[in-house]
């Protein structure tokens, strides 16, 4: 959807009329490439909030108004600016204009427009009859970015303008840099006349950044550094002559390296010579991403969000050649690699055809986990210098096994299974040998809920462990490890039974948060009461006090299930499809109590009676915290869970809630905490969209190893005209078209590879209800199966 009109240029090439001495080629207006690209304009009330200009090597975070405040908590005040991991290059830059001896700083933009591959800020200087547009992008695979200013003289008078570009450089290490002996030194500036640019070096390291423009500078000045740290500032001044009714362009290039001066300068020169080509290439690549798993549905908000989440996924790819390539968790405070975030997100990445990121991320996590743990345990959090902060929460190891199985279903690569099965085998052994102290089949330790004390037998760890053994059994069978397959399958069956028996609480109509002792529960209740009382949740305080009294009145020496926090993880048995049908339906209804208009609360006791109508901004604490939060991951899990039990309309309701966060603060993106708190772009958001849409609503179930795709639609009633095109399954591409008109439903499915088998499975329909136009029909285990090696087309006639 196009929500802004570019007024600067309709031609590709504009000469810089103010640059008579310039020997550089004609400057190219970036707007030319963006005119046909999707764009979304931001909200006025969020101009003082963050945006990202993304790239796989470099990215930039600033505010939508054009300023660069100190933001972030992971490295306090340092998570914004320009990063070339594992180092930071700059805190930001500042451009000011001096006209008739009056200086105006361009840090209060009147509008911000986001594109998949670029962004634009627009400044209106009415007192000077000027409009200035700042556009920027990061070329693929380059340690640099391009920032262009277009100055539009809307008056009938010529104007002389002094443009000042001040770069605030801060060459410093990433988070945990000290663990790999990265020491921040004082930065120094050098003006390089040959490049007409400032070079900045860290005095203790071969870390460099360079910035300059495509026009000759008139002055070069060391400036005041206005940020915390050991950085420096330098200013380049330019004299511009603005013709009446015309526009002038000046383009800046910022490059860096953590290896050498020559590398930074070479990138700078490369960008200067080739940036139009790089923007065109990046735009073309994003067009390919948009056309994979291309969704068309009546709900245009969800359709747009799904398209832009594909772009978000690409924004989050982080390459550090010395360490590897993988998706980072979120921007700005989690720009490095996580085990569990990837284990959710990569399932979604695969469903939208971004396989390269999937394969590289898995390889990175596996190699770092092996080097760190060596026992199959999957790491939790790794900084971009390779330093591991957390060697792994318990749930991440079983979730890795299920991720490998899921990716295999899409790529059919047995070598892929063979490569990672040793990690799975070691990991499952570590899981049960070292973490199941009472040998009851439930590993103990932290799962997704990182609440102090919640490290006994957690429901999410149990659910993901059960699924891991079920998936590992199938992998072992394919790899002809029959004894192991039988062992894993037996354990999976037993765990499913025990979860439904031992974690279920009939009193609360829910699966328990955890199984633990009275002592553990009482301690956690005291902490939970303080939390609920602090947040002014009287209903939660009352419920917790009743639970406390119940424990004291009926003490037990045996561990038992406790429902306490109503954490979102109690829904993981439904997400994994292992909950008994009757329990699942009751639990799903219970879960509806712990939502607001944006989705599911992380911790149910944080909700209050106003939650159902609370549709405003999330007021987080001054110190970063998830207390009281509604997050996209719990909501995504609930969407998957509802679909697993045949409730697509309920699932769609959660998807609509989640979509309300899209564009809320950062146009074209969805925050981690709904609607506007935490990370401005988050990797696991794609899980809650791609998996339900592709694999559940449209029902596309790949079996690439057998060259087969099974389609079993489970469409919400509101989606009466829906299409999903170009879903990539290995070398094949599958499309599905669904239309319901009155009592007639038409379904058309097609694929690009004729040596594959395409199957459409329909439940609870007699053959007489079908008019099959393309494909062959048969009855298999009470289900109608229509098959073809190319195209299926049929009409379903409802009963009168």
């Amino acid at each position: 959807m196009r929500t802004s009109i570019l007024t600067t240029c309709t031609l590709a090439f504009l000469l810089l009329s103010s640059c008579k001495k310039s020997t550089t080629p004609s400057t190219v207006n970036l707007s030319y490439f963006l005119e046909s690209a999707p764009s979304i304009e931001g909200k006025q009330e969020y101009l003082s909030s963050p945006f990202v200009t993304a790239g796989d090597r470099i990215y930039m975070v600033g505010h939508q108004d054009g300023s660069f405040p100190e933001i972030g908590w992971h490295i306090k005040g340092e998570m914004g600016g320009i990063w070339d991991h594992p180092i930071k290059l700059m805190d930001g830059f500042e451009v000011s204009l001096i006209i008739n001896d009056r200086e105006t700083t361009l840090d209060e933009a009147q509008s911000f427009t986001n594109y998949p591959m670029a962004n634009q800020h627009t400044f209106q200087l009415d007192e000077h009859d000027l409009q200035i547009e700042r556009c920027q992008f990061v070329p693929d695979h380059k340690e640099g970015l391009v920032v262009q200013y277009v100055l539009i003289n809307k008056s009938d008078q010529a104007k002389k303008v002094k443009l000042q570009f001040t770069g605030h450089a801060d060459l410093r290490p990433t988070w945990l840099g000290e663990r790999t002996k990265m020491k921040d030194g004082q930065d120094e500036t050098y003006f390089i006349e040959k490049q007409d640019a400032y070079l900045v070096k860290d005095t203790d390291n071969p870390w460099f950044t360079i910035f300059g423009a495509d026009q000759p500078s008139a002055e070069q000045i060391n400036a005041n550094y206005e940020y915390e740290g050991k950085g420096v500032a330098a200013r380049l001044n330019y004299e511009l002559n603005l013709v009446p009714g015309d526009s002038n362009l000046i383009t800046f290039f910022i490059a860096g390296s953590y290896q050498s001066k020559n590398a930074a300068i070479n990138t700078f020169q490369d960008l200067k010579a080739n940036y139009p080509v790089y923007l065109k290439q990046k735009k073309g690549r994003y067009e390919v991403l948009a056309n994979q798993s291309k969704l068309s549905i009546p709900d245009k908000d969800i359709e747009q969000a799904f398209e832009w989440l594909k772009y978000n996924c690409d924004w989050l790819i982080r390459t550090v050649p010395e360490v590897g390539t993988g998706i980072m968790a979120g921007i700005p405070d989690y720009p490095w690699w996580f085990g569990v975030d990837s284990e959710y997100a990569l399932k979604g990445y695969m469903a939208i055809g971004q396989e390269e990121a999937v394969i590289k991320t898995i390889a990175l996590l596996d190699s770092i986990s092996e080097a760190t743990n060596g026992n199959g345990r999957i790491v939790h959090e790794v900084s971009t210098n390779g330093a591991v902060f957390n060697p792994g929460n318990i749930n991440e190891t079983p979730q890795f096994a299920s991720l490998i199985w899921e990716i295999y279903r899409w790529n059919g690569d047995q070598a892929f299974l063979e490569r990672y099965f040793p990690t799975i085998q070691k990991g499952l052994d570590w899981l049960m040998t070292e973490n199941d102290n009472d040998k009851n089949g439930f590993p103990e330790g932290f799962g997704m809920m990182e609440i102090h004390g919640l490290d006994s037998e957690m429901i999410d760890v149990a659910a993901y462990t059960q699924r891991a053994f079920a998936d590992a059994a199938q992998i072992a069978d394919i790899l002809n490890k029959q004894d192991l397959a039988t062992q894993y399958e037996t354990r999976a069956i037993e765990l499913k039974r025990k979860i439904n028996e031992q974690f279920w609480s009939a009193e609360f109509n829910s699966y328990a948060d955890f199984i633990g002792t009275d002592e553990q529960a009482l301690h956690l209740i005291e902490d939970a009461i303080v939390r609920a009382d602090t947040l002014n949740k009287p209903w939660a305080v009352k419920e917790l006090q009743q639970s406390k009294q119940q424990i004291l009145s009926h003490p037990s020496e045996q561990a038992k299930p406790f429902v306490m926090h109503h954490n979102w993880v109690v829904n993981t048995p439904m997400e994994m499809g292992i909950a008994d049908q009757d329990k699942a339906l009751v639990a799903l209804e219970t879960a509806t109590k712990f939502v607001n208009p944006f989705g599911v609360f992380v911790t149910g006791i944080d909700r209050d009676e106003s939650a159902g109508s609370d549709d405003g901004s999330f007021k987080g604490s001054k110190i970063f915290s998830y207390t009281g939060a509604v997050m996209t991951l719990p909501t995504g899990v609930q969407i998957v869970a509802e679909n697993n039990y045949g409730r697509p309309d309920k699932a769609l309701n959660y998807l609509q809630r989640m979509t309300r966060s899209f564009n809320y603060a950062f146009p074209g993106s969805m925050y981690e905490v709904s609607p506007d708190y935490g990370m401005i772009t988050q990797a696991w958001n794609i899980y809650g969209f791609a998996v339900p849409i592709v694999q559940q609503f449209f029902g596309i179930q790949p079996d690439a190893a057998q060259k087969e795709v099974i389609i079993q639609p489970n469409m919400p009633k509101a989606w009466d005209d829906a299409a999903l095109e170009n879903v990539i399954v290995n070398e094949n591409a599958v499309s599905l078209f669904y239309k319901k008109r009155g009592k007639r439903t038409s379904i058309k499915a097609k694929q690009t590879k004729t040596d594959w088998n395409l199957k459409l499975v329909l439940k609870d329909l007699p053959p007489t209800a079908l008019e099959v136009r393309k494909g062959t029909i048969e009855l298999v285990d009470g289900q109608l199966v229509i098959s073809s090696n190319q195209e299926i087309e049929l009409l379903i006639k409802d009963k009168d």
Side-chain angles (χ1 to χ4, degrees):
M1 182 179 73
R2 184 85 173 163
T3 59
S4 67
I5 300 174
L6 297 173
T7 61
T8 60
C9 180
T10 59
L11 300 175
F13 299 94
L14 290 177
L15 294 176
L16 288 169
S17 59
S18 64
C19 186
K20 297 180 180 179
K21 296 181 182 180
S22 176
T23 59
T24 61
S26 301
T27 296
V28 178
N29 193 324
L30 299 182
S31 300
Y32 169 76
F33 296 100
L34 300 178
E35 284 186 333
S36 60
S39 67
I40 303 176
E41 186 170 327
K43 300 175 182 177
Q44 291 290 313
E45 58 267 36
Y46 281 95
L47 286 173
S48 59
S49 68
F51 76 94
V52 63
T53 309
D56 61 338
R57 295 300 308 274
I58 272 185
Y59 67 90
M60 178 172 73
V61 173
H63 271 191
Q64 295 171 39
D65 59 13
S67 65
F68 289 93
E70 293 177 307
I71 63 174
W73 60 270
H74 233 126
I75 307 173
K76 188 177 180 181
E78 296 287 356
M79 302 310 295
I82 302 169
W83 280 87
D84 179 12
H85 280 281
I87 67 166
K88 186 175 186 176
L89 300 182
M90 300 180 74
D91 289 306
F93 53 83
E94 181 181 275
V95 167
S96 59
L97 305 180
I98 299 177
I99 307 171
N100 299 329
D101 297 325
R102 291 180 60 190
E103 182 174 346
T104 303
T105 301
L106 300 181
D107 59 1
E108 295 183 357
Q110 277 69 47
S111 67
F112 172 82
T113 303
N114 205 17
Y115 299 85
M117 71 300 293
N119 6 73
Q120 183 184 62
H121 315 258
T122 301
F123 306 86
Q124 302 289 351
L125 275 60
D126 293 336
E127 68 272 28
H128 297 299
D129 286 325
L130 280 179
Q131 177 175 310
I132 296 95
E133 294 180 346
R134 178 184 121 192
C135 183
Q136 62 250 338
F137 83 102
V138 177
D140 288 337
H141 318 312
K142 302 294 181 181
E143 291 179 273
L145 72 152
V146 180
V147 182
Q148 184 177 87
Y149 287 84
V150 181
L151 290 79
I152 305 165
N153 184 359
K154 297 191 292 184
S155 75
D156 58 2
Q157 302 291 320
K159 297 180 184 294
K160 289 180 180 277
V161 176
K162 176 187 281 189
L163 184 149
Q164 299 183 148
F165 182 98
T166 305
H168 294 274
D170 184 14
L171 296 159
R172 59 149 299 136
T174 187
W175 182 58
L176 305 183
E178 69 281 358
R179 295 193 183 182
T180 55
K181 300 181 180 179
M182 297 177 74
K183 183 180 178 182
D184 187 18
Q186 179 61 49
D187 297 339
E188 294 181 346
T189 61
Y190 306 87
F191 180 72
I192 304 179
E193 189 170 351
K194 184 177 180 181
Q195 305 299 333
D196 197 0
Y198 266 107
L199 180 78
V200 182
K201 182 187 185 302
D202 182 293
T203 54
D204 295 338
N205 302 280
W207 303 341
F208 298 86
T209 189
I210 181 173
F211 58 88
D214 59 356
Q215 296 196 41
S217 62
E219 295 177 279
Q220 308 85 35
I221 306 166
N222 285 324
N224 292 327
Y225 180 66
E226 299 174 356
Y227 295 81
E228 294 291 328
K230 299 181 179 180
V232 290
R235 178 176 300 142
L236 294 166
N237 293 341
Y238 301 85
E239 303 291 344
L240 306 179
N241 296 312
L242 307 186
V243 176
D246 206 350
S247 59
N248 276 44
L249 284 75
I250 181 168
T251 307
F252 291 89
F253 308 93
I254 300 170
S257 173
Y258 49 84
Q259 300 284 4
S260 71
K261 170 183 172 181
N262 287 341
I265 292 174
N266 289 342
T267 300
F268 178 80
Q269 294 173 327
D270 179 27
L271 297 185
K272 212 170 181 181
N274 299 303
Y275 72 92
V277 175
Y278 294 148
L279 181 54
K280 183 178 180 181
Q281 289 174 344
K282 189 162 189 175
K283 181 185 177 186
R285 191 171 63 76
Y286 273 80
E287 289 170 351
V288 172
L289 296 181
N291 286 322
Q292 292 173 174
S293 297
K294 184 177 180 180
L295 179 68
S296 301
I297 52 173
D299 190 326
K300 296 306 174 184
D301 290 336
I302 291 177
E303 182 180 310
Q304 184 190 51
F306 186 51
E307 177 186 340
W308 278 78
L309 284 177
K310 299 176 200 175
Y311 308 143
N312 289 189
C313 286
D314 192 75
W315 298 350
L316 292 167
I317 296 171
R318 177 65 41 236
T319 295
V320 180
E322 297 77 15
V323 183
T325 294
I327 63 168
M328 54 184 178
I331 297 171
D333 272 289
Y334 297 118
W336 35 76
W337 306 298
F338 284 74
V340 74
D341 296 64
S342 299
E343 288 161 349
Y344 287 109
L346 294 180
K347 294 179 180 180
Y349 272 71
M350 205 66 184
I352 59 173
Q354 296 188 24
E355 183 177 6
E356 183 178 356
V358 173
I359 299 303
K360 289 184 176 180
T361 303
I362 290 172
L364 176 66
L365 291 174
D366 181 68
S367 64
I368 292 177
S369 297
E370 178 64 22
T372 303
N373 298 318
N375 55 4
R377 182 183 186 181
I378 301 301
V379 294
H380 175 64
E381 185 174 7
V382 185
S383 188
T384 49
N385 60 342
V388 175
F389 176 70
N390 178 343
N393 292 332
I394 302 301
N395 60 296
E396 287 165 294
T397 295
Q399 285 186 262
F400 184 79
S402 294
L403 172 65
I404 298 303
W405 173 245
E406 180 66 19
I407 302 311
Y408 172 73
R409 293 175 62 209
W410 286 93
N411 68 16
D413 183 1
Q414 186 164 324
F416 174 80
L417 289 185
E418 292 169 347
R419 175 175 178 180
Y420 294 111
F421 188 70
T423 299
I424 293 171
Q425 188 175 355
K426 288 192 298 183
L428 293 179
D429 181 67
W430 168 81
L431 186 69
M432 307 311 295
T433 301
E434 298 189 28
N435 299 283
D436 183 16
N437 294 322
D438 59 6
K439 304 305 176 186
N440 67 346
F442 299 138
E444 298 104 23
F446 283 108
M448 287 299 296
M449 297 306 303
E450 295 176 326
I451 294 176
H452 180 70
L454 275 182
D455 57 353
S456 55
E457 294 174 349
M458 308 305 301
I459 182 59
D460 56 321
V461 173
Y464 292 139
T465 296
Q466 189 280 337
R467 181 63 174 269
F469 278 110
D471 293 337
Q474 297 185 80
I475 298 173
D477 183 62
I478 290 169
L479 298 180
N480 294 316
K481 300 179 183 294
Q482 299 304 328
D483 290 345
L484 205 53
T486 300
Q487 175 189 327
Y488 287 167
E489 184 179 14
T490 300
R491 190 181 285 270
I493 292 170
E494 179 66 8
L495 278 175
K496 180 178 179 180
R497 179 187 64 79
K498 293 177 72 172
I499 288 170
N500 281 288
E501 290 178 357
Q502 297 181 28
F503 270 96
W504 180 251
S505 171
E507 178 186 357
F508 288 94
N509 287 325
S510 171
Y511 288 92
D513 290 297
F514 66 95
I515 291 175
T517 64
D518 285 358
E519 182 182 0
Q520 289 172 314
L522 288 169
H523 179 73
L524 285 166
I525 284 174
E526 291 297 337
D527 290 345
I529 288 174
V530 171
R531 175 182 179 138
D533 187 55
T534 302
L535 293 172
N536 193 26
K537 313 297 180 187
W539 73 268
V541 173
K542 181 179 178 181
E543 181 181 286
L544 289 163
Q545 288 174 337
Q546 290 173 344
S547 295
K548 176 182 176 181
Q549 188 57 47
Q550 177 72 11
I551 295 170
L552 293 173
S553 301
H554 301 86
S556 172
E557 295 182 359
Q558 302 297 318
K560 58 184 180 182
F562 291 96
V563 177
M564 186 176 300
H565 298 87
H566 298 285
N567 290 318
W568 68 269
V569 294
V570 300
N571 300 307
T572 53
M574 286 79 77
E575 178 205 10
M576 293 293 98
I578 61 175
D580 292 342
Q581 180 78 11
D582 56 342
K583 292 183 175 70
L585 296 179
V586 172
L588 290 171
E589 286 304 310
T590 299
T592 63
K593 300 176 183 178
F594 305 106
V595 303
N596 79 358
F598 297 100
V600 177
F601 279 86
V602 175
T603 296
I605 61 171
D606 292 349
R607 141 190 219 289
D608 58 29
E609 295 306 317
S610 68
S613 59
D614 181 11
D615 58 0
S617 172
F618 177 71
K619 306 300 181 184
S621 60
K622 292 182 179 180
I623 299 174
F624 188 83
S625 169
Y626 292 113
T627 301
V630 166
M631 291 178 69
T632 52
L633 179 62
T635 309
V637 164
Q638 208 63 16
I639 299 167
V640 173
E642 290 283 7
N643 271 324
N644 281 339
Y645 291 87
R647 293 157 47 115
D649 294 322
K650 299 282 188 181
L652 179 60
N653 179 275
Y654 283 108
L655 184 59
Q656 289 167 334
R657 291 173 188 265
M658 189 171 168
T659 303
R660 290 190 182 111
S661 292
F662 178 71
N663 284 338
Y664 197 95
F666 176 27
S669 187
M670 183 180 294
Y671 270 62
E672 169 199 23
V673 176
S674 305
D676 58 358
Y677 188 73
M679 304 307 103
I680 65 173
T681 303
Q682 182 78 13
W684 60 35
N685 292 345
I686 194 62
Y687 174 73
F689 272 74
V691 171
I693 290 172
V694 176
Q695 297 185 260
Q696 294 182 315
F697 292 151
F698 283 87
I700 294 175
Q701 301 298 325
D703 188 356
Q706 300 302 317
K707 291 192 172 183
E708 183 172 87
V709 178
I710 297 172
I711 301 175
Q712 193 166 353
N714 191 26
M715 207 67 73
K717 291 177 182 177
W719 290 12
D720 56 2
D721 190 351
L724 187 65
E725 301 174 71
N726 197 29
V727 178
I728 306 301
V729 184
N730 193 282
E731 60 184 1
N732 200 3
V734 177
S735 300
L736 182 69
F737 305 86
Y738 175 96
K739 282 190 178 182
K740 186 174 179 64
R741 293 290 182 268
K743 294 183 178 182
R744 292 174 175 262
T745 303
S746 64
I747 299 176
K748 181 179 178 181
K750 62 180 183 179
Q751 62 183 4
T752 57
K753 288 293 182 180
T754 57
D755 59 339
W756 283 53
N757 194 22
L758 188 63
K759 290 184 177 181
L760 179 66
V761 179
L762 301 172
K763 289 183 177 181
D764 304 322
L765 281 175
T768 55
L770 295 186
E771 180 184 322
V772 179
R773 296 170 178 173
K774 293 181 181 179
T776 58
I777 184 171
E778 59 182 327
L779 191 63
V780 180
D781 297 328
Q783 300 181 125
L784 294 178
V785 179
I786 301 92
S787 302
S788 174
N789 66 349
Q790 190 166 3
E791 189 171 341
I792 294 171
E793 187 174 347
L794 59 83
L795 185 68
I796 303 172
K797 294 168 285 187
D798 291 351
K799 294 180 181 180
D800 294 329

